[in-house]
Amino acid sequence: MDKAPDEAKEVYNHHGVIIRRLDRYGEREAAGSSANFISFISSGTMHILEHNNDRWILWVPEEKSLRVESDPTEWEVVNTEKPKHNPGNDEKLEAKKIWINLNDLKSLQLRRNSNKMFFDLKDNTTFDVDFQNGDAYNFISSFKSYAILEKSRRSRQKYYVKGSVNRELSKSFAELDLFGEQGNLVARFMKDLHDRPFETTLTAFSKLTGAVASGLTGSARPEGASNINHGLSHGDEYEVIATTSQQPSLGMSPRPEVMRGPPLSVEEWMRHANDDGTISRIESLLQTIFRGGIDHALRYDVWKYLLNYLPFRLNHTEAAELRRMKIKEYQTLCQQWQSFTPGQEERFSLFRDRKSLISKDVNRTDRTFEYFAGDRNPHLDSLNNILMSYMMYNFDLGYVQGMSDLLSPILMLMDNEPDAFWCFVGFMDRTMGNFMMEQTSMKEQLLQLACLLQILDPELANYLNAHESGNLFFCFRWLLVLFKREFSNEDIMIIWEVFWTGLPCPNFHLLFCIAILETEREQIMANDNGLSDILAHVNSLSMNIDRDAMLCKAEAMYLQLQANAEKLPKMACLTLGLAVSVDASAAEQEERFKDTHVTPSDDEDDAFEKAISYSFL
């Protein structure tokens, strides 16, 4: 019987619960009794205990014993008088306690009577549970705070238990307000956090890429171990594979020194702007922006080009005509959603729910900024109008929480709806994958991030692996809204401008992530910090990160990797847009990775899809 440690704390209790274990023939037996004997039962209290991210259900009987004298399929209270405490009963009561580790729980099934339900365990044990003083639905509602539940497709009354909710990560992600009515990005993502299925998912990732060491499956690796064989037993969908905790030594040359430059000035901009309005020497222009950002006085004009609202090739007349057409199209989108009648909204639940969510998010987006402060602020109406119009523009995606974070700085700069809308469209075209239901882009970015970290700082990567943080989920917020919550408005404008240039490589934001992690590595690794402490430290970095230092470090990392591209695994090269080497050393490097990762068969590909399926999540 898997009991909770003494230091576990109670987080939930429910009085007046009768519980019986079903025997192998499906007959019920009372808690603590043997099959085929008359059962003595009692009412008791059901507790949920928690220690770190482990949880247990504990049922404790009351001292009063109740005898069933009728048909054992019916529960009947014979004697409800509470006897005086008898110390001799303590040992008997201890023996009658029932412990269930949440990880051993397979499913919950409500019965026709809403006061009763079944607990099905993975070892095929079943408990029949009767909530005498409450509704079993209330227990389900409370249980969702501690366990990840997936409703069965075949039965509305059945819930599969997919693991424990990681409370520390939930607390961290909650700062993004992503747990609202449709803010399920993190909720879906968090359902990958249960123990063995989570390990299975991440192992499948590494198998499919054939290029990542154990950076994503570190929670299963005992500290100090150099190699682990993971036997994955979920439905026999995966064979035993080997992973290694240590990245092969790449012997890279040192990083170069990098310095930031001045922002794009009016004079420099005018040297790129021709008399007819076209913009020339685009590569040089982007290099200047990458090196130093843009003077604030120029952002209103230059952002329209960076975000593909206006193509660089257009002259004054063509740009004015395109803008006129874009304004008209925006007005049409506004009219579409504004013309919905109350009756139409009543019959269009998806539209109604998205509209409600946008309204709630608008009222809590950057309200500390003067631009959005106060009640009845017209800028809030503009924020709402743009998000509603984008929902109509891209109805497949609609609206997902976090989008308002990306729009806010754009609207503050443009200060008019049509221009802000079309710049936002350009930004969303770059980041749309972050908000997709399938979350494939977010998973891919975390995988790429882990691969790069293992190369650039294997010591830190291995430390995170050994401390339940190798999945790098604490970077989720950074990636989702591109560091919007970590920097001031002025800083984030410069950072985004750098990212929008596409220089010096694709996925430069991942190197920016690693620059922050590497800068904080001593604090992260201090005092044998685990997941909770790492999360707390990462969250505390908000508004305390040196923007230019991180940009310089990230660029230096890229230059180092570029200079050693022939030594990099294929996945790293593809992530950063580097040419994939075919020389002997690179081929040998790839083989070394493949030796520890099995190429998946078609069946395993299907299993991988199951592992990350968001019908499952």
Side-chain angles (χ1 to χ4, degrees):
M1 182 166 53
D2 182 12
K3 296 183 178 181
D6 293 338
E7 56 268 31
K9 66 177 182 178
E10 179 182 328
V11 293
Y12 170 88
N13 65 65
H14 194 119
H15 298 284
V17 179
I18 294 177
I19 185 168
R20 298 190 182 200
R21 181 184 290 109
L22 298 184
D23 65 17
R24 67 176 185 267
Y25 302 109
E27 297 295 332
R28 288 175 299 185
E29 54 174 299
S33 71
S34 300
N36 303 320
F37 287 87
I38 296 176
S39 298
F40 286 85
I41 67 172
S42 69
S43 179
T45 301
M46 183 173 291
H47 309 261
I48 296 178
L49 303 179
E50 181 177 65
H51 179 60
N52 294 331
N53 279 310
D54 294 322
R55 297 180 180 90
W56 295 261
I57 295 174
L58 167 64
W59 179 83
V60 180
E62 298 174 5
E63 279 199 54
K64 61 184 179 182
S65 295
L66 308 175
R67 181 183 176 101
V68 175
E69 296 182 344
S70 58
D71 185 337
T73 62
E74 298 294 333
W75 292 351
E76 184 176 328
V77 176
V78 175
N79 177 16
T80 60
E81 294 183 4
K82 183 175 181 179
K84 295 180 180 180
H85 175 69
N86 180 358
N89 288 338
D90 291 346
E91 185 175 343
K92 296 179 180 178
L93 291 173
E94 182 67 28
K96 287 179 175 289
K97 289 181 180 179
I98 294 178
W99 289 90
I100 302 174
N101 188 310
L102 191 145
N103 290 325
D104 295 331
L105 195 57
K106 180 180 179 181
S107 66
L108 310 175
Q109 184 167 350
L110 294 162
R111 300 172 61 194
R112 288 188 297 273
N113 183 327
S114 62
N115 288 341
K116 299 181 180 182
M117 64 190 308
F118 291 126
F119 288 179
D120 294 316
L121 275 58
K122 293 176 181 177
D123 65 0
N124 295 323
T125 300
T126 297
F127 290 99
D128 198 350
V129 184
D130 184 1
F131 294 87
Q132 295 183 303
N133 300 330
D135 195 324
Y137 286 104
N138 292 334
F139 172 79
I140 291 286
S141 179
S142 299
F143 197 57
K144 287 180 179 178
S145 299
Y146 311 103
I148 300 165
L149 301 182
E150 175 197 354
K151 184 173 286 189
S152 170
R153 295 182 179 181
R154 296 184 178 181
S155 172
R156 296 181 182 180
Q157 304 293 88
K158 189 169 187 176
Y159 297 82
Y160 290 103
V161 180
K162 295 299 182 180
S164 296
V165 171
N166 188 308
R167 302 287 289 279
E168 294 293 338
L169 285 176
S170 296
K171 180 180 178 181
S172 172
F173 292 146
E175 295 181 7
L176 268 175
D177 293 326
L178 294 175
F179 285 104
E181 291 79 353
Q182 286 189 340
N184 290 324
L185 279 178
V186 175
R188 292 195 302 270
F189 213 94
M190 293 281 287
K191 290 189 176 184
D192 265 341
L193 293 177
H194 52 285
D195 293 331
R196 286 174 291 185
F198 172 56
E199 178 185 339
T200 301
T201 298
L202 295 179
T203 302
F205 265 134
S206 63
K207 289 171 69 178
L208 288 177
T209 62
V212 180
S214 63
L216 291 180
T217 51
S219 60
R221 186 178 69 88
E223 187 173 358
S226 60
N227 291 282
I228 291 178
N229 288 329
H230 293 288
L232 306 177
S233 58
H234 284 268
D236 297 322
E237 293 173 337
Y238 297 93
E239 62 187 271
V240 175
I241 67 167
T243 64
T244 175
S245 66
Q246 189 66 39
Q247 183 82 1
S249 176
L250 300 179
M252 294 193 296
S253 57
R255 292 177 194 167
E257 292 291 329
V258 173
M259 296 186 65
R260 298 286 293 160
L264 177 69
S265 64
V266 174
E267 294 77 13
E268 179 72 15
W269 172 247
M270 294 307 296
R271 285 196 287 271
H272 289 276
N274 300 319
D275 292 340
D276 64 354
T278 57
I279 308 300
S280 60
R281 297 184 295 118
I282 308 303
E283 291 184 6
S284 173
L285 174 65
L286 295 179
Q287 281 286 353
T288 301
I289 297 172
F290 171 76
R291 188 65 51 207
I294 303 171
D295 186 288
H296 189 71
L298 287 171
R299 283 185 172 131
Y300 176 81
D301 293 317
V302 180
W303 276 28
K304 295 174 185 175
Y305 291 96
L306 289 179
L307 292 170
N308 296 323
Y309 176 13
L310 297 177
F312 288 107
R313 69 178 186 278
L314 297 187
N315 59 36
H316 289 307
T317 302
E318 292 169 334
E321 177 62 18
L322 177 61
R323 185 170 184 269
R324 185 189 67 80
M325 293 173 58
K326 291 291 188 180
I327 291 174
K328 185 176 180 179
E329 185 176 353
Y330 174 72
Q331 292 170 343
T332 299
L333 291 168
C334 287
Q335 291 169 358
Q336 287 176 347
W337 63 265
Q338 290 171 348
S339 65
F340 272 48
T341 67
Q344 284 178 301
E345 288 193 25
E346 182 65 27
R347 295 184 295 273
F348 198 169
S349 61
L350 183 57
F351 175 88
R352 185 176 65 249
D353 292 344
R354 288 175 173 176
K355 180 181 178 181
S356 174
L357 184 59
I358 288 172
S359 177
K360 292 178 181 179
D361 275 6
V362 163
N363 286 320
R364 57 192 179 193
T365 298
D366 288 341
R367 297 302 300 276
T368 58
F369 293 151
E370 182 179 355
Y371 190 85
F372 293 114
D375 297 329
R376 299 182 179 179
N377 188 325
H379 298 137
L380 296 178
D381 294 333
S382 295
L383 195 67
N384 181 84
N385 293 343
I386 293 171
L387 293 172
M388 287 293 297
S389 297
Y390 184 80
M391 178 185 69
M392 300 303 295
Y393 173 82
N394 186 354
F395 207 86
D396 284 345
L397 180 60
Y399 176 78
V400 180
Q401 285 173 307
M403 290 182 183
S404 59
D405 278 273
L406 302 187
L407 172 59
S408 169
I410 295 175
L411 179 57
M412 283 190 280
L413 176 66
M414 296 295 160
D415 199 31
N416 76 79
E417 288 185 26
D419 289 339
F421 173 81
W422 288 110
C423 287
F424 178 64
V425 167
F427 198 1
M428 285 302 302
D429 286 346
R430 297 169 180 262
T431 60
M432 189 186 309
N434 290 4
F435 301 97
M436 290 292 193
M437 175 74 72
E438 296 80 10
Q439 286 290 277
T440 304
S441 175
M442 290 298 295
K443 292 180 178 182
E444 182 179 18
Q445 290 176 71
L446 287 172
L447 179 62
Q448 293 167 335
L449 183 62
C451 174
L452 294 173
L453 181 63
Q454 189 77 42
I455 295 169
L456 290 163
D457 195 338
E459 182 182 3
L460 176 58
N462 290 338
Y463 177 88
L464 294 174
N465 291 340
H467 291 79
E468 298 184 320
S469 303
N471 46 62
L472 301 179
F473 276 10
F474 54 81
C475 297
F476 186 97
R477 185 173 81 178
W478 296 356
L479 299 176
L480 181 69
V481 291
L482 285 177
F483 307 94
K484 168 65 164 56
R485 297 295 182 93
E486 320 310 320
F487 291 91
S488 67
N489 199 51
E490 174 60 25
D491 280 352
I492 203 61
M493 285 184 171
I494 293 175
I495 292 168
W496 285 356
E497 289 164 354
V498 170
F499 292 167
W500 293 339
T501 65
L503 299 173
C505 62
N507 296 306
F508 183 65
H509 66 292
L510 299 181
L511 296 176
F512 191 79
C513 275
I514 297 176
I516 299 174
L517 293 177
E518 190 177 272
T519 300
E520 299 297 323
R521 71 192 307 276
E522 299 304 322
Q523 290 294 323
I524 290 174
M525 298 170 66
N527 303 317
D528 200 35
N529 284 339
L531 174 61
S532 300
D533 295 322
I534 293 171
L535 277 168
H537 180 69
V538 167
N539 289 340
S540 73
L541 297 178
S542 180
M543 305 300 162
N544 293 298
I545 305 173
D546 187 326
R547 176 201 70 208
D548 285 346
M550 296 307 100
L551 288 171
C552 286
K553 181 174 284 191
E555 183 183 1
M557 288 177 175
Y558 170 73
L559 294 175
Q560 181 186 32
L561 294 172
Q562 182 187 46
N564 296 274
E566 73 282 353
K567 302 176 182 178
L568 299 179
K570 181 178 180 181
M571 182 181 185
C573 292
L574 293 176
T575 298
L576 301 178
L578 298 173
V580 178
S581 175
V582 294
D583 66 19
S585 61
E588 180 182 355
Q589 180 70 20
E590 286 300 315
E591 287 304 316
R592 294 177 69 182
F593 279 103
K594 289 178 181 178
D595 285 344
T596 58
H597 295 83
V598 180
T599 302
S601 64
D602 291 340
D603 290 341
E604 288 170 324
D605 281 339
D606 292 340
F608 170 73
E609 292 300 328
K610 286 182 180 179
I612 66 170
S613 167
Y614 282 99
S615 59
F616 162 78
L617 297 183

